[in-house]
Amino acid sequence: MKNRLATDAIRALAERQHGVVALRQLQVLGVGEDLIRHRVNARLLIPLYRGVFALGHRRLSQEGYWISVVLACGPGAVLSHASALDLWSVRGSRGPVDVLRRSGGEWYPRTGIRLHQTRSLPPDHITEERGIPFTSLERSLRDMARHLTMKQLERAVVAADRTGQLHWPQLVSLVGSSRGHKGIGRLRAVVHRIHPHARDARSGLEVDFLALCREEGLPAPAVNVLVHGYLVDFLWPAQRVVVETDTYRYHGDRAAFESDHERTAALIAAGYDVHRATRQLLQRHRDLFLRNVRLALTSRTASNSTPSRPGT
């Protein structure tokens, strides 16, 4: 391939891949080894990993970095596990980038890459966005099940559902066909029991409180509903019992602090029984807090069902 044609071909490929190209891709395009070597020596192609180059500079975007890592792991490799959930905007990831590929082939350990290999990677378990191949949302959740606690997994499933891109039938089918995979029991339990209102929760603490209600046999509350003009976290409308779960994200400044107390006073004046909890309170005094909520629900249910005496 002539120099001008090679330049156009390399540039077009790099533009599709956020500034990154692989040696094997250039060879498929017909770019000769001598020309590739010359451009590497001239620092026009900058080595990132073995057989992977950046075009002109190393200042890669997050997408460019992800693509470079996937290309470094060979044909058919895809972003996976925590990194895929990060790309799906389900939960952030830190540390090495996770990549999945079919078992077999050479592998030279590379800094910043955590390679996973599998015997089964069907086409419907792979998708692509912004030029990056990565595992489907359902497959990503299954692969991460072994690495997450039950609470973390429930939050991840709720966050995945909230994206609007989770296909429940596919997830249920995948869970059912994945016997023997580590962590699949936890994922199966989450999928089968997840609260129908959990996607309405705004924070991880709210998701955790819903799970706590199920574990303790409390009736399911309404989630994030308006009561007398105030948005409350949890409401049992028949008993007029409210629970507010306070996180720093939503209650971490003086104005929010004052607003919380004004809201509590207004709700109590309107006849509601209000209970406030932080994560620390639920960790240290969980039984005491739940006992208070249960007592409020029980007493108010009883008072609602007690018939009034004549003349009262």
Side-chain angles (χ1 to χ4, degrees):
M1 179 180 289
K2 293 183 179 181
N3 191 60
R4 179 60 181 274
L5 292 176
T7 297
D8 292 343
I10 294 172
R11 181 180 294 119
L13 177 61
E15 286 175 354
R16 294 195 301 272
Q17 298 184 158
H18 303 277
V20 178
V21 298
L23 175 61
R24 63 179 182 273
Q25 294 176 317
L26 299 180
Q27 291 171 336
V28 169
L29 291 173
V31 181
E33 292 185 8
D34 289 342
L35 194 150
I36 294 172
R37 190 179 303 111
H38 169 75
R39 299 205 170 193
V40 170
N41 292 336
R43 304 295 292 171
L44 298 174
L45 289 174
I46 301 174
L48 299 173
Y49 297 100
R50 181 173 178 174
V52 181
F53 308 96
L55 185 62
H57 59 79
R58 291 178 175 270
R59 297 188 301 275
L60 299 178
S61 64
Q62 180 65 65
E63 290 84 356
Y65 177 56
W66 276 334
I67 289 177
S68 71
V69 168
V70 168
L71 290 174
C73 294
V78 298
L79 205 70
S80 68
H81 292 73
S83 300
L85 288 183
D86 193 352
L87 182 53
W88 279 109
S89 298
V90 167
R91 68 191 312 266
S93 66
R94 297 179 179 178
V97 176
D98 291 296
V99 179
L100 180 67
R101 73 177 191 186
R102 290 183 179 276
S103 304
E106 293 183 320
W107 170 245
Y108 304 93
R110 295 163 171 86
T111 302
I113 302 177
R114 182 163 45 222
L115 180 68
H116 309 266
Q117 301 199 73
T118 179
R119 291 192 298 270
S120 176
L121 189 56
D124 61 343
H125 287 195
I126 301 171
T127 187
E128 183 176 307
E129 183 176 324
R130 289 172 272 169
I132 307 166
F134 60 110
T135 48
S136 68
L137 188 46
E138 298 76 27
R139 175 65 185 257
S140 302
L141 289 169
R142 194 205 74 174
D143 289 343
M144 279 301 292
R146 64 183 298 179
H147 303 289
L148 301 177
T149 65
M150 186 73 83
K151 284 186 177 180
Q152 290 172 330
L153 196 53
E154 182 156 352
R155 290 183 194 174
V157 174
V158 169
D161 186 41
R162 195 180 291 126
T163 68
Q165 300 180 86
L166 179 64
H167 300 285
W168 280 97
Q170 286 89 326
L171 181 59
V172 171
S173 175
L174 184 60
V175 167
S177 63
S178 298
R179 289 181 174 82
H181 288 267
K182 291 184 178 179
I184 198 64
R186 285 197 296 274
L187 181 57
R188 184 179 298 111
V190 167
V191 168
H192 287 171
R193 80 181 192 182
I194 195 164
H195 196 286
H197 301 305
R199 68 179 299 175
D200 297 327
R202 294 182 299 167
S203 70
L205 181 56
E206 291 180 7
V207 174
D208 291 348
F209 184 74
L210 282 172
L212 197 56
C213 289
R214 285 198 310 274
E215 293 169 9
E216 297 298 324
L218 291 175
V223 182
N224 286 316
V225 293
L226 283 173
V227 178
H228 285 269
Y230 297 100
L231 184 67
V232 302
D233 295 338
F234 302 102
L235 170 69
W236 286 267
Q239 295 84 5
R240 298 169 73 84
V241 172
V242 170
V243 166
E244 296 274 57
T245 50
D246 299 340
T247 61
Y248 186 81
R249 177 179 178 184
Y250 295 105
H251 308 265
D253 57 51
R254 185 174 182 83
F257 178 81
E258 294 296 337
S259 176
D260 288 343
H261 284 74
E262 290 174 7
R263 174 169 54 184
T264 298
L267 291 172
I268 291 174
Y272 289 85
D273 192 336
V274 182
H275 301 260
R276 307 196 73 93
T278 62
R279 182 176 299 283
Q280 189 175 57
L281 176 65
L282 289 178
Q283 289 174 342
R284 293 185 176 182
H285 306 289
R286 159 181 159 164
D287 292 343
L288 177 61
F289 181 79
L290 291 177
R291 189 182 309 131
N292 290 339
V293 173
R294 193 187 303 276
L295 180 61
L297 291 172
T298 301
S299 62
R300 286 179 170 242
T301 298
S303 62
N304 289 344
S305 61
T306 303
S308 300
R309 290 179 298 173
T312 63

